[in-house]
Amino acid sequence: MIELKNVTKLYGKVIGVNDFTLTLEAGAYGLLGPNGAGKSTLLNLITGQLQPTLGSVRVLGRSPRNHAELFRHLGYCPGGEGMYSEVSGYDWVCYLQRLQGMSAKQSRIAATSSLELVGMSSAMNRPISSYSRGMRQRTKLAQAIAHNPDFLILDEPFNGLDPIGRHELTTVLLDWIGLGKSLLFASHLLHEIESITQSFLLICGGRLLASGTAEEVHTMMVGLPNEVAIRTESPYELASRLMQEHVAESVTVKGEIVTISTRNPAVLYEKLPAWLQDWGLAVSEMRSADESLQALFNSLMKMHRGEL
Amino acid sequence: MIGSVLAVFCFEWKRSFTWPRMMWWLVLMCFPIFIMGLVRYNALNAISASDRSQEAFLTGWLVLCAWLLFALIPMLVAMLGTLLWTTPAISAELERKSWIYLAVRPHGSLSVVIGKYLTAVTWVFPPAILGLTIAVLLAGLSTWTEVGRVWWTMLRLVLLSVPAYGAIYLLIGVLLPRRAMTFAVAYTLIFELVISFVPAVINKLTVQYRLRSLLVEWCELSLIGPNGRPLSTSLTVIGTEPAWQHVLILMAMSIGLVGLSVVVLKSREFSSSAESET
């Protein structure tokens, strides 16, 4: 479905995407990367809004640049807002469906049903300027799915949504995938993507660092140093005890925070509660670096550079 | 694709019914009427009734009214109206970051450019034609034949100038979206208001030269200067080519520049990335 061969995109001297090679068959994929990783540039290359400086991009077998036929099968929900504040959500979605090639009547039907699907029925005739951020996100999603595309690209679609909204949109997207349609979902939050799909593309610094299922990514991480930060009133005692237990590669103390670098976090998590009880130490906060996406990316970047 | 162009056209027309835009619409319509009224009032006060009925005055008054109406409507109203609505056609979408929604539609960018151009042109026609009609009636020309001739000439000039200026400003907007207004104003001042009066071949590239030549021909204005020599041969700011040639060039220019805007737009990259336009 999507094929990128050695794609590099330069903005002057700034690299947006760096030597990116990827082949994706039809399915649901999560594009995961921190802010500034090159996700939007990659999506712009896939939707033909940008032309690669080097390499080639093929979507459905053809270059996506000025590819009218591709746009009939593509739904795109960009990261930015960019809506006309003075018109209603309904008018805006209708208008975009007219541009999709629908008749006025078809566009009205499509806009109504898609806005209903994303839970915007009651507010769809209000001006967009009166919408909350979550309502705008829903309306953006409605314009992307209204023409029933085969391939949906979403850039940070959960931004600004409350937990109920997230849950509702997750259900909509899971139903979408259930219909056998394809989805590329970009986000900088792991849990957002995990709720939709188990197929990941990890991107950072404009490079594809890893791809596969969540399990495969975790398997790759086995043996890599993980950082765990623990807040305690006796940081030096805790640091000393942990070193004696041989679970830490290194320990750093800063104020009340003990930062432990470990190659076997599972053992640490398993045994730490008992140890703390035995040692009589109280811990008020513990943050696992395994949950920190940036740490994961840092490790992958180091792997990519051959530093690990 | 025609349906998409029509959709943009209808949508943009609907969006243009806002107070600021309606105020601009009224200003464009009323300004030539106001100026014409002032000139007429001044003439009535300054010249006695007996002098006003003399042949020399009537001929001079017709020439004055024709040039004044030309400056006000096919020049000013057409330029200002199209400058305001076609120049930001693309840059406004880019600034609002709404371009991406339009560009990922089949023939989206093309439909938006053509649809917005047609909207701007049809938006400028009504105030220009209404203003023209009232201003001509207010001018106090001596016969209805003169009124009809001036009105018909100006109407044809409006129908040619609005699409031509619209196409020029559209192309400027597509080529230089970040500073579209600045470049459009600079183009107008340098090319249409200065270079068009330069007595050299370069003035033939301007819309003004064509419109001016058509005005003289269609309004049958005298080009004999005080020294008895034809002004056009001494200054070459008014063309001696046949009218059909000017009309054809203006129409070709309008269509060609809109086509060029589409080609340029298709080859350019506008993205929603932080780095944006390249």
Side-chain angles (χ1 to χ4, degrees):
Chain A
M1 186 177 66
I2 298 175
E3 191 181 13
L4 288 93
K5 277 187 188 166
N6 304 106
V7 172
T8 296
K9 179 64 192 173
L10 296 170
Y11 300 101
K13 290 178 181 175
V14 178
I15 294 183
V17 164
N18 191 358
D19 197 23
F20 210 100
T21 297
L22 173 74
T23 303
L24 291 182
E25 296 304 325
Y29 301 92
L31 182 63
L32 185 63
N35 290 326
K39 299 189 294 294
S40 294
T41 299
L42 185 65
L43 297 185
N44 277 315
L45 286 163
I46 291 170
T47 54
Q49 302 310 304
L50 294 177
Q51 204 154 15
T53 312
L54 293 170
S56 69
V57 180
R58 288 276 181 277
V59 179
L60 302 174
R62 282 180 59 181
S63 165
R65 188 102 176 112
N66 297 318
H67 186 351
E69 195 50 37
L70 167 70
F71 295 142
R72 293 189 197 286
H73 303 282
L74 175 76
Y76 183 39
C77 178
E81 289 208 341
M83 302 153 93
Y84 302 112
S85 56
E86 73 278 12
V87 303
S88 69
Y90 172 76
D91 283 346
W92 185 63
V93 177
C94 270
Y95 169 53
L96 294 176
Q97 298 322 301
R98 292 291 317 272
L99 285 181
Q100 200 63 46
M102 290 186 190
S103 67
K105 190 181 173 186
Q106 286 171 331
S107 70
R108 284 195 293 269
I109 294 168
T112 307
S113 61
S114 65
L115 284 162
E116 197 178 314
L117 193 67
V118 297
M120 282 295 293
S121 295
S122 57
M124 68 183 188
N125 289 313
R126 273 168 39 194
I128 291 173
S129 57
S130 68
Y131 288 1
S132 67
R133 196 158 178 216
M135 290 162 96
R136 287 172 194 233
Q137 283 297 112
R138 290 163 188 252
T139 310
K140 275 169 57 185
L141 184 65
Q143 63 79 31
I145 61 175
H147 58 287
N148 198 22
D150 298 318
F151 177 29
L152 188 58
I153 298 178
L154 309 173
D155 193 356
E156 308 274 2
F158 287 158
N159 268 0
L161 287 184
D162 55 29
I164 296 170
R166 280 167 191 249
H167 175 72
E168 286 172 0
L169 277 196
T170 302
T171 309
V172 169
L173 294 177
L174 288 174
D175 289 346
W176 180 270
I177 296 165
L179 293 171
K181 305 211 172 200
S182 297
L183 174 73
L184 184 57
F185 179 109
S187 175
H188 63 281
L189 297 172
L190 185 62
H191 66 88
E192 281 186 354
I193 293 183
E194 272 185 319
S195 65
I196 304 291
T197 176
Q198 290 299 301
S199 298
F200 287 85
L201 303 166
L202 278 77
I203 173 175
C204 191
R207 286 178 178 273
L208 180 65
L209 298 181
S211 63
T213 63
E215 274 182 18
E216 285 170 336
V217 172
H218 285 297
T219 307
M220 284 174 62
M221 295 302 296
V222 171
L224 293 178
N226 281 243
E227 286 191 342
V228 180
I230 301 172
R231 183 186 293 274
T232 175
E233 286 180 358
S234 315
Y236 291 100
E237 190 182 345
L238 179 65
S240 162
R241 298 249 186 199
L242 288 170
M243 288 302 286
Q244 285 169 19
E245 296 292 342
H246 301 287
V247 289
E249 294 278 310
S250 67
V251 176
T252 314
V253 177
K254 195 173 183 184
E256 289 188 339
I257 303 286
V258 181
T259 306
I260 303 147
S261 178
T262 174
R263 284 185 185 271
N264 202 345
V267 173
L268 179 72
Y269 296 143
E270 191 186 331
K271 295 191 173 174
L272 191 63
W275 289 341
L276 290 172
Q277 199 174 9
D278 294 346
W279 302 334
L281 295 175
V283 165
S284 57
E285 183 189 341
M286 188 168 101
R287 283 182 283 113
S288 165
D290 201 25
E291 288 169 15
S292 159
L293 195 60
Q294 192 57 54
L296 175 81
F297 282 112
N298 289 345
S299 298
L300 286 170
M301 279 296 274
K302 284 178 185 172
M303 263 177 74
H304 193 82
R305 290 196 290 257
E307 293 170 10
L308 286 175
Chain B
M1 202 198 78
I2 293 169
S4 298
V5 172
L6 200 65
V8 176
F9 179 77
C10 295
F11 185 77
E12 289 298 326
W13 252 104
K14 199 175 167 186
R15 280 183 69 213
S16 68
F17 287 107
T18 58
W19 283 113
R21 288 199 189 194
M22 295 307 289
M23 286 307 294
W24 268 112
W25 199 93
L26 272 177
V27 167
L28 285 179
M29 187 188 80
C30 293
F31 185 71
I33 299 169
F34 177 69
I35 298 293
M36 195 71 238
L38 280 182
V39 170
R40 173 84 190 282
Y41 177 76
N42 193 43
L44 286 175
N45 281 346
I47 302 162
S48 65
S50 57
D51 287 345
R52 286 205 300 269
S53 60
Q54 288 188 6
E55 183 65 30
F57 172 80
L58 292 174
T59 311
W61 183 245
L62 170 69
V63 173
L64 175 74
C65 286
W67 281 109
L68 184 63
L69 285 169
F70 172 76
L72 288 171
I73 300 168
M75 264 180 80
L76 188 74
V77 172
M79 278 180 181
L80 194 60
T82 51
L83 179 90
L84 287 173
W85 304 122
T86 54
T87 313
I90 302 304
S91 59
E93 302 290 347
L94 292 172
E95 276 173 26
R96 200 189 292 114
K97 297 189 189 303
S98 51
W99 177 252
I100 185 69
Y101 296 98
L102 310 170
V104 293
R105 310 289 162 182
H107 310 296
S109 51
L110 190 145
S111 306
V112 170
V113 169
I114 297 175
K116 282 196 162 199
Y117 170 74
L118 292 176
T119 308
V121 167
T122 52
W123 193 91
V124 180
F125 278 148
I129 294 169
L130 269 172
L132 165 70
T133 307
I134 299 169
V136 169
L137 290 173
L138 209 66
L141 294 169
S142 58
T143 64
W144 281 106
T145 314
E146 280 182 0
V147 170
R149 194 171 73 218
V150 171
W151 183 83
W152 178 231
T153 300
M154 295 300 162
L155 178 72
R156 284 181 288 173
L157 292 178
V158 165
L159 293 177
L160 289 168
S161 71
V162 172
Y165 282 123
I168 290 169
Y169 295 137
L170 183 74
L171 181 63
I172 292 172
V174 169
L175 283 172
L176 307 152
R178 283 184 179 169
R179 295 278 182 275
M181 275 293 183
T182 312
F183 281 104
V185 171
Y187 165 82
T188 308
L189 295 176
I190 296 167
F191 278 86
E192 295 297 329
L193 300 182
V194 176
I195 289 180
S196 74
F197 284 99
V198 172
V201 180
I202 194 169
N203 70 1
K204 294 191 177 188
L205 298 174
T206 64
V207 174
Q208 271 299 300
Y209 169 83
R210 304 287 165 192
L211 294 176
R212 221 161 36 217
S213 306
L214 286 172
L215 169 75
V216 169
E217 191 160 339
W218 284 341
C219 244
E220 298 167 19
L221 299 178
S222 172
L223 291 172
I224 304 299
N227 56 4
R229 294 175 62 192
L231 284 172
S232 58
T233 50
S234 59
L235 293 175
T236 65
V237 293
I238 292 162
T240 51
E241 300 93 336
W244 66 265
Q245 202 173 316
H246 294 302
V247 172
L248 202 69
I249 288 171
L250 285 171
M251 287 169 70
M253 184 188 268
S254 304
I255 296 167
L257 292 180
V258 172
L260 189 59
S261 300
V262 170
V263 172
V264 171
L265 196 68
K266 278 188 165 281
S267 65
R268 296 204 66 174
E269 292 183 342
F270 303 110
S271 83
S272 56
S273 297
E275 294 80 7
S276 196
E277 176 221 345
T278 56

